[in-house]
C-alpha cells in the first residue's frame, strides 16, 4: 500500500468518470428502476402510471415463458463463455509459440472479432441456410452427412448453432487478452520451470495460470454480462424461433416494453437480467479473490 | 383539403417522412416521387428516412413516446391502426376525405386505414399473398390447370413429388415471425375461419383449426418443404426461383423477381393465381398485407403532410410507378399502361384484392400475433397437436393484460 | 527454448486448424460478395465462384449523390467518429479512475466499481426509451455527438474494469521509486504506470472501439439519415426488405471489418512496443 506522499482524494480521480457515466446512463437507469415498480404503458400519456410495488416481479415468477427464457439465456452464457475461455486459452498458447507466420496469425485473430455482430449473424445465417447454405454443401460433398438438414429451424440444434456463431466471433477477445498476459510474463520463469523438469501440465498450472488468471477472469466477467444481455445475434439469426427455442431474456424485455407496450413490466424483466448478471459476477469475484489469495 | 388556400405563400417548410427500405416501391421510386412533389411545391423540402420493416414500428413508437415531434408522415402496416388509434399516434383524417368517392378505391385498401369508424390515413401499398407455380413442372406432371382449392394443391403436390420432379413441391414462409401468420390467415380465410367470436378468441375451432391441421398435414406428407419452418419471404423466393419448388405462397413482388434472369432460373415459367379456396366454402383466399401513409399526431404541419400524402397516393403517381406496386385505384387495373407486361399478375390481383382478409383488428395485435406464432410453430414442429396448440393460444390470448 | 520435432508438428497442425476455422467463413463471405445471385442457389453448390462479378464493390465505390457508395462512405465516417470519439473519452476518464480502483483499498471506491458495472448489466433494450427521450430533449437525435454520449455509457464500465486490471499488474515498487524522486501522482501515472501498462490500455482501447463499432440497436433507433447513420445500420438497410441482396451485404460486411482490423494492427504494434518497455523495466 502506498499511502506515502500526496495521494489525492480518490474522488478527484473518479470524478471525471462519474460525470460521464451519470450524464449518459444516470437518467435511463434510474428511470428503468422506477418503471419496474409501476404499471406504465408506452404512449399512454402522463398520469396514467401507478406505483404497484412488486406486482411486476410477482407476475414474472408465474410467467413460465420468461422463466424458460432465463434458463435458455443461462445455458447460452455458460456454454458460449466456457467455450470462449477454453478456445481462447488454447489459441493464445498456440500463438505464443515460435512459428513461421506468427505475426500474420496474430493479426488474423482480430478479423472475426472485427466483423460486426450483425454482419456475423447474417453471414452465419447464410452458412446455415438449409437449401443453399455452404455448411450443408460442404458436409454432404465430403460425405459427413447423407442429406441436407436444417440447423436453425430445428429446436434441438438452433441454440447450439447460434452459440457456434457467437463463439467464433468472440473467442478472439479472450485469446488476445491471454496472449497479452503471456507476453508480459518474464521468459526466465519458463526457463526455470523447464530446468526443474516440470511436465507441460504442471508448467501450465504453476507458471502460466497465475499469470493469465486475473485478466482472464476480467474478460470472462465482461463476456458473461454481454452473453446474459444477448440480443442482436438472435434478432438477426432466428428472431426467437423455432417455437421460441432461442428467445432470450433481452428478447422478452424488447417485446414486453416495445411491442406489447408494457414498459413497467419490461423494466422489471430488465432488472431481473441485472440480478442474474450480479450472481455471475459474484461468483467470478470470489474466484478472483481466491486466486489473489493463493 | 380545405385549408390548402391558407398557405399558398411559398414559405420554406420541411416535412419529415418515414418510409420502409426496399419494400414494394424502391427507395429511388420514393425519392423520384418526392422530388416531383417538391418541384410542384416550391419552398417545401421533404426529409426522407428509410428503415427496415422490423424497425418501422419501433421508430414510430419511440418517437411518439418521446413527445411525438419527430415525424410528420409515416408509413404503417395494416396490423397497427388499432393500437395506434388507441394511443393517439395518428391524425384522424375522416373529414379530409369527405369529398372523395370511396368506391374508386378497393375496400381492402380502406381496411388498412379504417378503425372504429374513423380513417387514419391513405392506403398506399396494396399487397396480398398469391399462389405462384412453376408452369413447366405442372406440365411435366400432367397437371392441366393450377389448383383451385387447398386440397387440390396438396394432391397436385403429391403427384409432383411421386413423379420425382422435385423433392418438396410447396415452399412457405413459416418461420416464427409475422410471415407465418400471413400464410395461416390466408388458409384460414379459405376455410371460413374466424379469429374472434363475440370478442372471445375463436381460432381454436372451425376453419381456423382446419387451416393449421392442413399446414401440419402437408409437412407430414412431405409435400411441404420442411425448411419452411425457418423461412421468411426471401427464402421462399430463392427456393422457388432456383427451381426447387413447384408451388409457393408469396407477395406480389416475387412475380417480377422470379422473372428476372439475373436472380432466377425459372424465368418465363412463373404462373400466378389467387391463393386457392375450399370446396363449398370459398373460391379463393387472400390476406390483407397492405400499408398506408398517415400523419403523426405530433406534427405541426398537418395540412402540408396531407398534401404530400394525397400526392403520393394519387392515381397518376401510382400508375406511373405500377411496376413494383399495384395502385389502390380500381380503374388502374384496366389501364393498359399499368397492366402491360404483368397481365397475369394484374388479373389475379383483381380477384385477390377484393377478397383480402384482415388480420385481427385488436389493439394488442402484436401480442396476439406473438402467441399465435409460437403455438403454430409448436404444432409445425410436432410438439403439440393443432388442437392443443390453438387451444393454448386461445388461453394465452384471453390472458393478455 | 528448443522444441522437440513432435511438438513442432503439433504446433503447425494447430496453426493449420486455426487458419481453416478462422478463414473459412470469411472466405465464404468473400465468395458470396463476388458471385452472381443465381450461382449461389446451385445444387450442388460450387465452392469456387463460377463467374466473378465485382458489381457489388463497384456500387459501393460509386460516390455520386444518392449513391450506395455515398451512403457507405458517410456511414463509415459516422462509425469512425462515434466509436473513436467515445473511446477517447472513455479512456481519458478511465485511466485515472482505473488507477484509483486499483490503488485505493476503500470500500466506497470498490462500491463505485460495482455500481458502474451494474449499469453495464442493464439490457440495452430497456435503456433505449429513456435514452431516446434524453437525446430528443437535448436535440441530439440523428447526431453523431448523441451517439458518442450513448456509447460512452457502454464503454466506460468496460474500460474502467480493464484498465484497473492492467494497473493491478504494475509493480508498486516502480511507483514508489518515482514517488521518492518527488513525482506527483499524475506524473507517476503518466511516466511510470501508463507506459508499463501500455499493452493493457491498448487492449482496452481496441476493445472499446470494437464495442462501439459493433452497436446496432441504439444506432438503429437514434439515427435517421446519412448525418449520423452508422455502418451497421446501413448494412442492415442493405439486408432489409423484400429484395435482399446478400452479395451486397457480404461486400459491405467485409469492407466494414477492414477499419477495425487496421486499427488493431496499429494498436498491436504499440502493444508489442509496450511489452518490450515493460519487460525491460520488469
Amino acid at each position: 500500500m502506498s499511502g506515502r506522499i500526496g495521494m489525492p482524494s480518490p474522488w478527484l480521480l473518479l470524478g471525471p468518470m462519474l460525470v460521464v457515466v451519470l450524464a449518459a446512463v444516470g437518467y435511463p437507469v434510474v428511470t428503468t428502476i422506477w418503471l419496474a415498480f409501476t404499471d406504465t404503458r408506452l404512449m399512454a400519456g402522463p398520469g396514467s402510471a401507478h406505483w404497484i410495488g412488486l406486482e411486476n416481479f410477482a407476475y414474472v415468477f408465474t410467467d413460465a415463458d420468461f422463466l424458460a427464457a432465463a434458463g435458455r439465456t443461462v445455458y447460452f452464457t455458460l456454454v458460449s463463455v466456457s467455450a470462449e475461455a477454453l478456445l481462447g486459452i488454447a489459441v493464445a498458447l498456440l500463438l505464443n509459440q515460435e512459428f513461421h507466420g506468427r505475426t500474420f496469425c496474430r493479426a488474423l485473430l482480430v478479423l472475426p472479432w472485427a466483423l460486426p455482430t450483425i454482419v456475423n449473424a447474417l453471414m452465419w445465417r447464410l452458412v446455415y441456410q438449409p437449401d443453399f447454405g455452404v455448411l450443408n454443401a460442404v458436409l454432404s460433398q465430403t460425405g459427413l452427412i447423407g442429406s441436407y438438414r436444417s440447423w436453425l429451424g430445428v429446436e434441438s440444434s438452433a441454440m447450439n448453432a447460434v452459440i457456434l456463431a457467437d463463439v467464433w466471433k468472440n473467442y478472439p477477445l479472450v485469446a488476445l487478452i491471454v496472449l497479452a498476459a503471456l507476453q508480459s510474463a518474464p521468459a526466465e520463469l519458463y526457463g526455470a520451470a523447464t530446468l526443474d523438469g516440470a511436465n507441460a501440465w504442471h508448467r501450465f498450472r504453476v507458471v502460466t495460470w497465475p499469470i493469465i488468471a486475473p485478466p482472464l477472469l476480467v474478460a470472462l466477467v465482461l463476456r458473461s454480462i454481454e452473453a446474459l444481455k444477448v440480443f442482436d445475434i438472435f434478432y438477426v439469426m432466428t428472431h426467437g424461433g423455432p417455437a421460441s427455442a432461442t428467445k432470450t431474456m433481452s428478447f422478452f424485455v424488447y417485446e414486453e416494453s416495445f411491442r406489447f407496450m408494457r414498459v413497467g413490466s419490461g423494466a422489471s424483466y430488465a432488472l431481473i437480467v441485472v440480478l442474474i448478471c450480479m450472481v455471475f459476477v459474484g461468483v467470478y469475484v470470489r474466484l478472483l479473490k481466491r486466486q489473489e489469495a493463493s | 383539403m380545405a385549408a390548402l388556400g391558407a398557405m399558398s405563400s411559398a414559405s420554406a417548410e420541411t416535412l419529415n417522412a418515414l418510409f420502409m427500405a426496399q419494400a414494394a416501391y424502391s427507395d429511388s421510386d420514393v425519392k423520384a416521387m418526392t422530388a416531383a412533389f417538391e418541384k410542384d411545391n416550391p419552398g417545401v423540402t421533404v426529409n426522407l428516412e428509410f428503415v427496415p420493416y422490423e424497425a418501422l414500428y419501433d421508430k414510430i413508437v419511440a418517437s411518439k413516446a418521446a413527445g411525438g415531434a419527430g415525424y410528420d408522415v409515416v408509413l404503417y402496416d395494416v396490423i397497427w391502426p388499432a393500437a395506434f388509434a388507441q394511443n393517439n399516434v395518428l391524425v384522424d383524417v375522416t373529414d379530409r376525405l369527405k369529398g372523395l368517392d370511396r368506391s374508386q378505391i378497393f375496400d381492402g385498401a380502406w381496411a388498412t386505414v379504417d378503425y372504429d369508424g374513423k380513417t387514419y390515413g391513405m392506403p398506399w401499398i396494396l399487397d396480398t399473398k398469391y399462389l405462384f407455380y412453376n408452369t413447366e413442372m405442372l406440365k411435366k406432371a400432367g397437371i392441366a390447370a393450377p389448383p383451385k382449392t387447398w386440397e387440390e394443391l396438396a394432391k397436385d403436390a403429391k403427384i409432383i413429388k411421386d413423379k420425382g420432379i422435385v423433392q418438396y413441391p410447396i415452399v412457405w414462409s413459416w418461420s416464427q415471425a409475422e410471415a407465418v401468420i400471413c400464410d395461416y390467415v390466408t388458409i384460414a380465410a379459405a376455410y371460413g375461419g374466424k379469429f374472434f367470436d363475440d370478442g372471445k378468441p375463436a381460432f381454436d375451432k372451425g376453419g381456423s383449426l382446419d387451416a393449421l391441421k392442413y399446414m401440419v398435414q402437408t409437412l407430414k406428407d412431405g409435400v411441404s418443404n420442411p425448411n419452411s419452418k425457418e423461412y421468411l419471404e426471401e427464402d421462399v423466393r430463392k427456393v422457388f426461383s432456383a427451381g426447387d419448388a413447384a408451388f409457393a405462397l408469396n407477395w406480389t413482388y416475387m412475380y417480377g423477381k422470379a422473372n428476372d434472369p439475373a436472380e432466377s432460373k425459372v424465368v418465363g415459367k412463373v404462373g400466378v393465381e389467387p391463393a386457392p379456396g375450399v370446396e363449398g366454402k370459398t373460391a379463393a383466399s387472400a390476406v390483407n398485407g397492405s400499408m398506408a401513409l398517415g400523419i403523426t399526431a405530433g406534427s405541426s404541419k398537418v395540412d402540408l403532410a396531407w398534401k404530400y400524402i394525397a400526392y403520393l397516393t394519387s392515381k397518376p403517381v401510382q400508375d406511373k410507378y405500377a411496376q413494383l406496386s399495384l395502385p389502390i385505384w380500381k380503374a388502374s387495373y384496366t389501364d393498359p399502361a399499368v397492366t402491360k407486361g404483368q397481365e397475369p399478375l394484374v388479373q389475379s390481383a383483381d380477384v385477390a384484392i377484393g377478397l383480402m382478409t384482415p388480420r385481427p383488428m385488436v389493439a394488442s395485435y402484436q401480442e396476439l400475433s406473438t402467441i399465435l406464432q409460437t403455438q403454430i410453430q409448436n404444432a409445425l414442429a410436432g410438439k403439440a397437436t393443432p388442437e392443443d396448440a390453438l387451444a393454448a393460444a386461445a388461453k394465452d390470448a384471453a390472458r393478455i393484460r | 527454448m528448443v522444441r522437440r520435432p513432435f511438438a513442432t508438428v503439433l504446433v503447425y497442425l494447430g496453426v493449420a486448424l486455426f487458419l481453416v476455422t478462422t478463414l473459412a467463413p470469411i472466405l465464404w463471405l468473400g465468395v458470396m460478395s463476388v458471385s452472381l445471385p443465381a450461382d449461389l442457389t446451385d445444387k450442388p453448390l460450387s465452392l469456387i465462384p463460377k463467374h466473378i462479378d465485382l458489381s457489388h464493390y463497384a456500387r459501393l465505390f460509386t460516390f455520386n449523390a444518392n449513391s450506395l457508395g455515398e451512403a457507405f462512405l458517410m456511414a463509415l465516417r459516422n462509425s469512425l467518429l462515434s466509436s473513436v470519439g467515445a473511446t477517447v473519452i472513455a479512456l481519458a476518464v478511465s485511466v485515472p479512475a482505473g488507477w484509483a480502483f486499483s490503488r485505493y483499498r476503500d470500500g466506497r471506491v470498490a462500491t463505485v466499481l460495482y455500481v458502474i458495472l451494474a449499469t453495464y448489466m442493464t439490457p440495452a433494450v430497456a435503456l433505449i426509451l429513456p435514452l431516446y427521450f434524453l437525446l430528443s430533449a437535448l436535440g441530439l437525435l440523428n447526431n453523431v455527438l448523441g451517439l458518442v454520449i450513448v456509447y460512452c455509457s457502454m464503454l466506460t464500465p468496460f474500460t474502467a474494469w480493464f484498465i484497473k486490471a492492467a494497473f493491478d499488474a504494475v509493480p508498486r515498487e516502480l511507483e514508489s521509486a518515482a514517488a521518492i524522486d518527488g513525482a506527483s501522482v499524475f506524473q507517476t501515472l503518466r511516466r511510470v504506470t501508463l507506459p508499463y501498462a501500455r499493452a493493457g490500455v491498448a487492449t482496452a482501447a481496441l476493445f472499446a472501439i470494437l464495442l462501439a463499432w459493433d452497436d446496432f440497436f441504439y444506432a438503429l433507433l437514434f439515427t435517421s439519415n446519412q448525418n449520423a447513420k452508422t455502418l451497421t445500420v446501413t448494412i442492415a438497410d442493405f439486408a432489409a426488405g423484400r429484395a435482399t441482396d446478400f452479395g451486397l451485404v457480404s461486400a459491405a460486411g467485409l469492407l466494414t471489418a477492414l477499419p477495425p482490423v487496421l486499427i488493431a494492427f496499429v494498436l498491436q504494434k504499440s502493444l508489442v512496443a509496450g511489452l518490450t518497455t515493460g519487460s525491460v523495466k520488469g
Side-chain angles (χ1 to χ4, degrees), chain B residues 20-24 31 48-53 55 58-59 61-63 65-67 71 127 233-234 237-238 242 244 251 253 257 261-265 289, chain C residues 36-43 66 128-129 132-133 136 141 216-217 219-225 229 233 236-246 248:
Chain B
M20 172 175 151
Q22 295 167 33
K31 282 175 189 159
L48 301 176
E49 176 178 354
F50 296 93
V51 297
Y53 172 79
D58 297 348
K59 282 254 177 180
V61 164
S63 136
Y71 302 109
D127 212 346
E233 290 89 340
E234 270 297 272
R237 171 174 81 81
K238 282 189 182 155
D244 288 339
W251 306 103
Y253 86 105
K257 282 271 169 188
E263 303 205 21
S264 169
K265 295 169 187 157
Chain C
L36 294 170
D39 287 350
L40 289 174
T41 57
D42 276 344
K43 267 184 190 176
N66 278 332
I128 275 190
L129 282 171
Y132 191 101
F133 191 79
S136 165
L141 279 172
F216 167 64
F217 220 69
L220 178 69
L221 284 178
F222 299 157
T223 67
S224 28
N225 60 30
K229 256 191 195 178
V233 178
D237 285 353
F238 294 165
R242 292 173 178 171
T244 333
D245 189 341
F246 284 122
L248 188 65

Side-chain angles (χ1 to χ4, degrees), chain B residues 310-391:
Chain B
Y311 178 80
L312 291 185
T313 55
S314 67
K315 187 168 176 296
V317 173
Q318 288 217 306
D319 285 353
K320 190 174 169 193
Y321 295 94
Q323 287 302 315
L324 285 168
S325 180
L326 292 171
I328 56 172
W329 305 89
K330 290 177 185 169
S332 299
Y333 289 66
T334 48
D335 181 347
V338 172
T339 59
K340 194 171 167 289
Q342 43 186 3
E343 289 84 357
L345 178 69
V346 174
Q347 254 170 30
S348 302
D350 219 6
V351 176
I353 289 172
L355 294 171
M356 289 198 302
T357 307
R359 281 161 274 173
M361 298 266 204
V362 290
S364 53
Y365 178 76
Q366 296 287 343
E367 194 165 6
L368 178 67
S369 170
T370 305
I371 292 168
L372 274 172
Q373 289 167 28
T374 311
Q375 293 300 344
I376 290 174
Q377 282 246 318
N378 277 341
L380 295 177
K383 264 172 71 180
T385 63
E387 289 85 355
D388 290 349
L390 287 178

